[in-house]
Amino acid sequence: MIKELKQAARLSRKALRIMRAKLVGNASAAAAIREAGLFDADFYRREYPAAVAGGADPLKHYLSSGWKLGLEPSAKFSMRAYSGKNPDVRGATLNPLIHWVEFGRREMRELPTSPEPDYAWMERDRPYPLPDDVIQYELVAGHAYFAGAGFDFGQREAGNGVAEAVKAMAARVPAFTVDLSTPKVSIIIPVYGQAHFALNCLDSLARLQSRYSIEVIVADDASPASSQTEALGGIPWIRYERRAANGGFLECCNWAVAQARGEFVVLLNSDTRVAAGWLDELVAAFDLFPKAGMVGSKLFNADGTLQEAGGIFWRDGSAHNYGRNADPNLPQYCFARQADFISGASIAVRKTVWNELGGFDPEYKPAYCEDADLAFRLRRAGYEVWFVPTSRAVHYEGITHGRDTTKGIKAYQVTNLQKLAKRFSAELTEHPIPGSSSMRAACWRSKRNILIVDALTPTPDQDSGSIVTNEVMSAYRQAGFGESFFPEHSPYWSKKYTAALQRRGVCCYYKPFFESVEQVLDVDNAFDYALLYRYNVAHPIYRSLRAKAPATRVLFANVDLHYLRETRAAETANDMQALFAAQLTKKKELEMFAHADASFIHTQFEQEVIQKALPLPLDNLVVLPWIAEVYRETPGFSARADVMFLGNFPHTPNVDSVLFFVKSIWPELLPSLPPHAKLLVVGNKPPAEVLALASDRVIVTGFVEELEPYFQASRVFVAPLRYGAGIKGKLVTALAHGVPSVATNIAAEGIAHAQDEHLSIADDPLQFASEVLRIYGDESAWNCMREAGLRYVEDNYSRAATSKICLHALNVADKTWLARQELQCQRSLEKIMRENGLLDAARTD
């Protein structure tokens, strides 16, 4: 990130003058580009036929004007990605390819060859990604397509060039799997004239990668011959279907869906352009939200601003395109949620559900409000309507019918809105009142709201603590909560991890819009609960939270007892300075347990330690066991050979324990293990001293996408922790995967005692090694331990039990908060009455 900041400011005025002087000579620039081999004349002719019409030289056209129009030079260099990644080049309006040839490669700037959406669209003052960076690339691609095909955005009809553009489109090989007989998805594009916009839409679809098989149906609503839409029938990878007579948008959609062969039907306006991931995100939403009857995309204006993030219907029957013309990257527009309606410009429906509802109601012919009516009817039938922000499309609004609602077909928008308000007047009585907060109105179906604050965004593929955090958040979402999340120590959006939360319906806050919890609370403090993870997050923000949101009940989840872990580490290392630091941690940690309205702890052992350390026991500690899914269908004894260690290595006890194991225990095992048996050291970010352990018998994997293959290859799991605190998720995970395990007493804390059958416990290195070999070599004992471990996890760590405990904790917090408010009220009244002499007088009478 610092590197990007420096790069963004790299072009000084003097350097810019020198650079421009070097770049103006087309002859020398052409020679440098040819030498680099990054311009492909055949590619340029094929992609942009109008640009080289009449035999124009492709390279000369690119150097003179093509690069300014966003035309790409070849498949080996993405000019748009280079511009997006280097805001200094973009801001100086320099030819990106020439810049890279002359300067960028010497400066070690990346040569982008993959599709543009793989790169964040950087800004000078924002050298980090945001959710909708991808749409900037799509906007440039749209302008490039129009320029390359010789079309004009301002013209109502395509004019000349359609035949050549259709010929070029026909020669394209789409990135998705075309299936015109039994597709998974049918994409329906209704058209009435304006072939140039339909071709622009098809250009974006041709680039679309998808895991699903697709048929694209272009449904021509009997366009006039002058519009040349019939030429679209020459594209072999689409189904061109033309109606005998014009019936309007609504009738055309119903007619086209009747002919669709896919399980899912997606209606897509011809005046749109879709971004990477558009389709897969729509279809995947039906799995994420099983009650979904219709899902819809996030829509963008032609200038990149937000057009709609789902729609709101007010109580009086008026409608609002939520977020219109706002910055689309604002957190409130970037998470999935139930919406009152979704614009029909880009919606997906299961075909069986469409048929069940009868499609769009002809009452709204020829167009407008048919999508909102369908949304309301879906809810009456028990379905939900979801806005999916990770599915993105540019909608060149007003191209088809203009924007004037007083004349033409657009006038039906007003009359149909009145019809809808009358039909659904009963439902509308529950909707928000006009003038209320649109941010809250957009989420009015979430009757209760919870703010979750942690140090970092959960990374469930890297550490077991994140898995539990995800499960707890899932439990509250399933209970109907609206969730908001803020990562206090790194408030940045992550394409992988933040987007995963947003995809599931969590409002995530991040820079540059929000840099602290205080800023979040300044915008929205109507949270029923706040769940704060870790004392070093909770302690600094607690007082601000109480001041800005006094009615919010505070839950504290400390993950483990940090002070106990730090104390044990200091004692193990005989480090007095570390011991002093552990005492400071103890003070802050115990203060948070005392402050919180309810606290989550993972074991009874932790509860006992906390209660003993406090002046008086607390009655608001809630034991929340680990959460794990059991894997029974895994390989048996003879199919396994390895010994496994698992740990997230930024957590220092894991580093200490694997070093201790390899030095003191592994040598005792080697003589008795078969030659092919290995020690698998699995975990994220291993430091140099752990990497140095690697050999032909010790495999240090680093981060892995999936743990299952490693568990399935392992006969024994080891957890030789010498210090730490709290429940060890790695052990629960190993037991859940059916791998018999050996652990130290520290690792087994809260999971097992010496007499339990599901876990073997040993602290002495020789005894530890002996237990590993005993289990490793005795198939009968191995099978008994495996079954005992699986049963233990099933009995203690189920999702159903977790959900009940999470909801119980809210009741505990409510009760505690009310009791404390009553106490504060009484003390305040006593103070006032004492100051007025009333309390003392009452006592002397």
Side-chain angles (χ1 to χ4, degrees):
M1 198 165 295
I2 299 299
K3 177 183 175 183
E4 297 289 355
L5 271 174
K6 291 179 178 177
Q7 183 168 293
R10 191 176 285 165
L11 293 182
S12 66
R13 290 183 180 179
K14 180 179 180 181
L16 183 58
R17 286 197 301 271
I18 295 171
M19 202 169 292
R20 279 182 171 152
K22 288 187 175 184
L23 300 186
V24 293
N26 279 358
S28 61
I33 288 174
R34 286 194 184 98
E35 181 184 350
L38 295 177
F39 186 85
D40 184 337
D42 291 336
F43 170 91
Y44 201 78
R45 289 190 189 96
R46 185 173 63 251
E47 291 289 313
Y48 315 113
V52 292
D57 179 80
L59 182 53
K60 287 183 178 179
H61 182 274
Y62 171 75
L63 291 173
S64 63
S65 59
W67 72 271
K68 298 175 185 177
L69 299 170
L71 309 190
E72 294 284 21
S74 74
K76 296 180 180 179
F77 179 83
S78 174
M79 186 191 72
R80 291 192 285 269
Y82 192 78
S83 295
K85 188 174 177 63
N86 297 282
D88 55 340
V89 176
R90 187 173 73 248
T93 60
L94 300 173
N95 183 317
L97 178 53
I98 299 179
H99 180 273
W100 189 85
V101 169
E102 294 286 349
F103 302 98
R105 57 182 167 183
R106 290 205 307 270
E107 296 170 356
M108 304 298 289
R109 300 201 192 195
E110 183 178 358
L111 173 68
T113 58
S114 58
E116 299 90 349
D118 288 350
Y119 298 89
W121 184 276
M122 299 295 187
E123 301 290 350
R124 288 178 182 270
D125 58 348
R126 178 182 63 80
Y128 47 83
L130 284 176
D132 295 316
D133 285 344
V134 63
I135 214 67
Q136 297 298 331
Y137 291 112
E138 210 53 58
L139 291 169
V140 177
H143 282 281
Y145 180 76
F146 263 68
F151 297 142
D152 186 341
F153 271 101
Q155 295 298 315
R156 302 289 296 175
E157 292 299 344
N160 297 327
V162 170
E164 193 66 26
V166 167
K167 181 180 176 181
M169 192 66 68
R172 299 272 288 273
V173 177
F176 60 83
T177 300
V178 178
D179 186 343
L180 301 182
S181 56
T182 57
K184 182 76 171 180
V185 182
S186 297
I187 300 174
I188 296 173
I189 306 174
V191 298
Y192 183 73
Q194 300 170 337
H196 51 334
F197 277 94
L199 283 162
N200 181 48
C201 180
L202 290 174
D203 175 67
S204 67
L205 286 176
R207 302 169 189 272
L208 188 70
Q209 295 181 344
S210 176
R211 67 175 70 100
Y212 305 111
S213 60
I214 301 168
E215 67 168 350
V216 177
I217 302 175
V218 174
D220 190 339
D221 194 20
S223 302
S226 59
S227 67
Q228 308 176 68
T229 53
E230 288 185 84
L232 299 173
I235 302 172
W237 50 272
I238 70 170
R239 284 176 58 192
Y240 174 78
E241 304 286 352
R242 181 178 173 86
R243 286 170 56 79
N246 177 261
F249 176 81
L250 185 152
E251 193 172 287
C252 183
C253 287
N254 284 349
W255 172 81
V257 173
Q259 301 181 63
R261 298 161 183 157
E263 177 185 344
F264 294 93
V265 172
V266 179
L267 297 178
L268 181 66
N269 275 19
S270 61
D271 56 351
T272 60
R273 187 173 179 93
V274 302
W278 162 78
L279 180 65
D280 285 10
E281 294 287 347
L282 280 179
V283 178
F286 288 98
D287 290 328
L288 284 173
F289 311 112
K291 293 182 180 179
M294 178 168 68
V295 300
S297 304
K298 189 175 191 177
L299 299 180
F300 297 80
N301 293 314
D303 62 357
T305 57
L306 183 61
Q307 186 175 113
E308 179 191 305
I312 298 172
F313 261 95
W314 302 107
R315 191 170 298 178
D316 64 358
S318 59
H320 171 58
N321 296 114
Y322 182 49
R324 190 173 188 85
N325 299 326
D327 185 334
N329 287 299
L330 282 164
Q332 61 264 38
Y333 307 128
C334 293
F335 68 99
R337 61 171 215 289
Q338 290 192 59
D340 293 343
F341 71 96
I342 299 290
S343 170
S346 177
I347 57 173
V349 188
R350 289 186 190 273
K351 191 176 181 187
T352 53
V353 174
W354 176 277
N355 292 340
E356 176 188 340
L357 274 291
F360 289 147
D361 190 337
E363 178 72 18
Y364 296 90
K365 288 176 59 176
Y368 294 111
C369 291
E370 69 284 332
D371 44 12
D373 174 83
L374 180 59
F376 275 84
R377 287 190 289 123
L378 280 164
R379 280 189 289 271
R380 278 187 176 179
Y383 296 104
E384 295 172 346
V385 176
W386 281 85
F387 162 67
V388 182
T390 45
S391 171
R392 303 175 177 91
V394 180
H395 182 211
Y396 303 97
E397 190 181 37
I399 296 300
T400 307
H401 299 306
R403 298 186 180 184
D404 189 345
T405 58
T406 65
K407 61 183 180 181
I409 292 179
K410 194 74 174 176
Y412 284 95
Q413 185 171 325
V414 176
T415 57
N416 283 352
L417 190 62
Q418 295 168 349
K419 291 179 185 178
L420 186 141
K422 183 177 180 181
R423 172 178 284 187
F424 298 105
S425 58
E427 286 92 335
L428 288 170
T429 59
E430 298 181 7
H431 284 232
I433 299 171
S436 57
S437 164
S438 61
M439 187 173 174
R440 277 296 174 197
C443 306
W444 69 269
R445 288 178 175 81
S446 297
K447 301 303 182 184
R448 295 190 292 178
N449 295 282
I450 185 169
L451 171 66
I452 298 104
V453 186
D454 203 345
L456 306 171
T457 302
T459 54
D461 58 352
Q462 295 187 22
D463 64 276
S464 55
S466 291
I467 295 174
V468 174
T469 302
N470 267 4
E471 291 287 353
V472 170
M473 293 176 69
S474 177
Y476 286 126
R477 284 198 305 278
Q478 290 176 13
F481 274 83
E483 287 185 329
S484 297
F485 178 82
F486 184 76
E488 177 74 13
H489 293 170
S490 184
Y492 295 99
W493 180 83
S494 160
K495 181 177 180 180
K496 183 174 183 179
Y497 299 112
T498 312
L501 293 179
Q502 292 172 322
R503 194 174 282 117
R504 287 163 172 77
V506 180
C507 180
C508 298
Y509 292 94
Y510 39 76
K511 290 184 176 182
F513 310 106
F514 298 90
E515 300 190 14
S516 67
V517 171
E518 287 77 11
Q519 289 181 345
V520 173
L521 295 172
D522 285 340
V523 171
D524 185 5
N525 65 354
F527 294 106
D528 299 281
Y529 303 93
L531 173 56
L532 311 181
Y533 277 89
R534 304 169 214 279
Y535 84 94
N536 56 342
V537 171
H539 199 275
I541 67 173
Y542 172 77
R543 295 195 184 283
S544 292
L545 177 60
R546 287 296 199 201
K548 292 177 179 287
T552 299
R553 280 77 79 198
V554 175
L555 294 95
F556 175 49
N558 207 34
V559 183
D560 66 15
L561 284 178
H562 296 69
Y563 84 83
L564 184 59
R565 169 165 45 83
E566 291 175 11
T567 299
R568 287 170 170 173
E571 291 172 348
T572 300
N574 194 26
D575 185 340
M576 288 302 295
Q577 283 300 114
L579 196 59
F580 294 147
Q583 284 298 309
L584 296 177
T585 298
K586 180 179 181 179
K587 174 180 179 293
K588 294 177 181 178
E589 212 161 11
L590 293 177
E591 283 178 352
M592 272 313 305
F593 282 112
H595 279 314
D597 297 312
S599 296
F600 285 122
I601 51 177
H602 285 307
T603 66
Q604 292 288 346
F605 172 82
E606 286 181 328
Q607 185 176 35
E608 293 169 5
V609 171
I610 294 165
Q611 299 290 32
K612 287 179 182 178
L614 293 168
L616 289 173
L618 291 170
D619 61 358
N620 62 347
L621 302 184
V622 178
V623 178
L624 176 68
W626 215 248
I627 306 158
E629 180 182 351
V630 165
Y631 298 81
R632 284 192 168 273
E633 302 302 320
T634 56
F637 178 86
S638 61
R640 301 164 179 259
D642 298 327
V643 175
M644 181 179 173
F645 174 92
L646 174 65
N648 183 35
F649 287 109
H651 190 55
T652 54
N654 289 325
V655 177
D656 174 81
S657 75
V658 75
L659 294 175
F660 164 69
F661 182 83
V662 173
K663 178 182 178 181
S664 303
I665 300 172
W666 183 240
E668 300 295 327
L669 301 177
L670 279 174
S672 302
L673 293 176
H676 62 283
K678 296 177 175 61
L679 172 63
L680 306 179
V681 179
V682 184
N684 183 46
K685 298 180 181 177
E689 58 267 38
V690 174
L691 291 171
L693 300 175
S695 68
D696 59 338
R697 298 292 297 272
V698 178
I699 310 301
V700 181
T701 68
F703 171 75
V704 296
E705 289 285 349
E706 298 290 339
L707 290 173
E708 280 77 6
Y710 297 93
F711 280 120
Q712 291 180 12
S714 302
R715 192 177 289 183
V716 179
F717 183 86
V718 295
L721 288 169
R722 296 198 297 168
Y723 62 88
I727 196 168
K728 308 306 178 292
K730 60 174 68 66
L731 262 179
V732 175
T733 305
L735 297 176
H737 280 83
V739 187
S741 305
V742 182
T744 59
N745 274 287
I746 291 290
E749 225 165 51
I751 297 175
H753 298 93
Q755 68 274 16
D756 291 332
E757 297 179 353
H758 62 272
L759 185 65
S760 180
I761 301 175
D763 286 329
D764 177 75
L766 293 179
Q767 185 185 359
F768 196 107
S770 176
E771 280 301 290
V772 171
L773 292 174
R774 178 183 69 82
I775 298 166
Y776 191 97
D778 187 338
E779 183 171 1
S780 176
W782 187 90
N783 283 325
C784 288
M785 279 194 72
R786 168 188 166 90
E787 182 58 33
L790 291 170
R791 283 200 313 269
Y792 173 77
V793 174
E794 287 173 336
D795 292 343
N796 293 278
Y797 303 119
S798 72
R799 284 192 172 94
T802 297
S803 295
K804 291 181 181 178
I805 293 170
C806 287
L807 295 178
H808 168 68
L810 303 184
N811 294 330
V812 172
D814 289 345
K815 181 180 177 181
T816 303
W817 187 89
L818 287 170
R820 289 175 174 179
Q821 293 302 308
E822 183 62 30
L823 178 61
Q824 290 176 20
C825 179
Q826 289 299 317
R827 287 178 174 173
S828 177
L829 293 174
E830 287 177 6
K831 180 182 178 182
I832 293 171
M833 293 179 73
R834 186 173 290 109
E835 289 173 350
N836 291 337
L838 299 175
L839 188 60
D840 292 339
R843 287 182 173 177
T844 56
D845 286 346

